[in-house]
Amino acid sequence: MLRTVVVHDEKLLCSALVQLLRSDDTLDVTSLSPDADGPDREAAPANVCVVDGECLTGPDKGCGERLRTRYGGRLVVLTTAKRPGVLRRAFDAGALGLVDKNAPVQRLITAVHTVARGERFLDESLTVALLKGSEMPLTTRELGVLALASQGAPIAEIAAGLHLSRGTVRNYMATAIRKVGARNRVDAIRIVQSAGWT
Amino acid sequence: MLRTVVVHDEKLLCSALVQLLRSDDTLDVTSLSPDADGPDREAAPANVCVVDGECLTGPDKGCGERLRTRYGGRLVVLTTAKRPGVLRRAFDAGALGLVDKNAPVQRLITAVHTVARGERFLDESLTVALLKGSEMPLTTRELGVLALASQGAPIAEIAAGLHLSRGTVRNYMATAIRKVGARNRVDAIRIVQSAGWT
């Protein structure tokens, strides 16, 4: 039996994925809460971890680091071509499996078996998006400024938070807006968020 | 047999929900694409439609109107307490079922049977969020201005789009920022989007 854990922050969808994977009776499937302090933290070790890509993003950087520590590269990340930033982050973290949320069910099951053998599984529909994600044009600083701005922080607060002058923050912001081809600050935040870069 | 259709814009998750509902062998479950022009548009009539709440939102207002026309109130909407705007919209549209995405699987199955009988099903965890959603403080105009701004439109374009003067747009914006307790325009957009009001 191949031990598989599923991580999704919506319990109903998590149960649905568990049940779906159980249709393959060579898989022994359980769920795990993305919350570190949840009751599932002492979950049994598994051969493969299937995780919703959205659990790897967000202001707190998600649970990616923890899953990586626990499962190494034996991660199958579910995402879509619309989220090149999520894809890129998963790829850079060494996740062996990247499955399109619009793929047929059998693709996910194949991905689990492939990753369990230590081989890479990458949905073709995600390849182009992954390459685009690698073109993320912003520096860490520029992205950091936009990330704080997206939380509603004014320039002065961003400057204080990053130990920069207000003028420097304005410069980073202007460069970031230009680089992503945005029309203004709100547009830049929209572009960066919808790509999953923050 | 109770005919049930599932609408979710991620096909893999849609299949997972279909499979989950099929664990109740009194349900005859199929899936339906949220896309109006999809191949599933001529789907057979059903007693109940289970729909991901996110399909009811977005700049194009989602597929809510079409589902309402087709299934009346026999909708079971999946959402979370974090999305009072989605909840409110589903409730106002007459959806009989509102199920928390964090509920146990059995709740969803119970909801389908309850709604099929023409009765209301509302997860307790969503009730408070629903009441909060009813306190949405913005007028349609203010929300419209914020929605356009969130797409990256500058003031002049919002004014042209809504046939208003720039000064009026600035006034609506200022009122909206104050009403939602935001610190600035970006913060107001963040608050309104994360609540699911746009």
Side-chain angles (χ1 to χ4, degrees), chain A residues 35-87:
Chain A
D35 174 12
D37 304 320
D40 294 317
R41 61 187 302 197
E42 299 301 342
N47 300 98
V48 178
C49 172
V50 175
V51 57
D52 179 26
E54 300 307 309
C55 296
L56 310 176
T57 67
D60 60 350
K61 296 292 164 208
C63 61
E65 193 55 57
R66 236 169 329 113
L67 294 179
R68 220 152 31 237
T69 308
R70 194 179 281 164
Y71 303 110
R74 290 162 298 134
L75 296 179
V76 173
V77 179
L78 303 178
T79 185
T80 76
K82 289 179 195 159
R83 305 278 283 163
V86 173
L87 272 167

Side-chain angles (χ1 to χ4, degrees), chain A residues 8-13 15-17 19-23 78 80 82 99-106 108 149-154 157 183-187 189-190 193, chain B residues 8-13 15-17 19-23 78 80 82 99-106 108 149-154 157 183-187 189-190 193:
Chain A
H8 193 298
D9 65 358
E10 293 164 350
K11 284 181 196 153
L12 188 65
L13 279 302
S15 301
L17 286 169
Q19 199 146 330
L20 184 144
L21 286 167
R22 282 182 182 155
S23 66
L78 303 178
T80 76
K82 289 179 195 159
V99 174
D100 194 327
K101 283 185 179 176
N102 287 307
V105 171
Q106 192 51 49
L108 174 58
S150 75
Q151 300 298 310
E157 190 174 312
R183 301 196 291 175
N184 50 44
R185 189 183 306 181
V186 174
D187 201 29
I189 290 169
R190 179 185 66 78
Q193 284 185 334
Chain B
H8 193 297
D9 65 357
E10 293 165 350
K11 286 182 196 153
L12 188 65
L13 279 301
S15 302
L17 286 169
Q19 200 146 330
L20 184 143
L21 286 168
R22 281 182 182 156
S23 66
L78 303 178
T80 76
K82 288 177 194 161
V99 174
D100 194 326
K101 282 184 179 176
N102 288 307
V105 170
Q106 193 51 49
L108 174 58
S150 75
Q151 300 298 311
E157 189 174 312
R183 301 196 291 176
N184 50 43
R185 190 182 306 184
V186 174
D187 200 30
I189 291 170
R190 181 185 64 79
Q193 285 186 332

Side-chain angles (χ1 to χ4, degrees), chain A residues 102-144:
Chain A
N102 287 307
V105 171
Q106 192 51 49
R107 297 283 290 167
L108 174 58
I109 292 173
T110 305
V112 169
H113 287 283
T114 308
V115 168
R117 290 194 303 270
E119 295 168 19
R120 185 176 295 286
F121 183 99
L122 174 56
D123 253 334
E124 275 176 44
S125 53
L126 300 180
T127 312
V128 174
L130 184 58
L131 293 170
K132 276 191 188 162
S134 67
E135 293 161 16
M136 211 288 281
L138 303 183
T139 63
T140 308
R141 270 297 193 210
E142 289 155 1
L143 202 56

Side-chain angles (χ1 to χ4, degrees), chain B residues 87-106:
Chain B
L87 271 168
R88 189 73 225 173
R89 204 170 301 135
F91 186 83
D92 288 345
L96 283 177
L98 292 172
V99 174
D100 194 326
K101 282 184 179 176
N102 288 307
V105 170
Q106 193 51 49

Side-chain angles (χ1 to χ4, degrees), chain B residues 122-136:
Chain B
L122 174 55
D123 254 335
E124 273 175 45
S125 53
L126 301 180
T127 312
V128 174
L130 185 58
L131 293 169
K132 276 190 188 165
S134 68
E135 293 162 17
M136 212 288 281

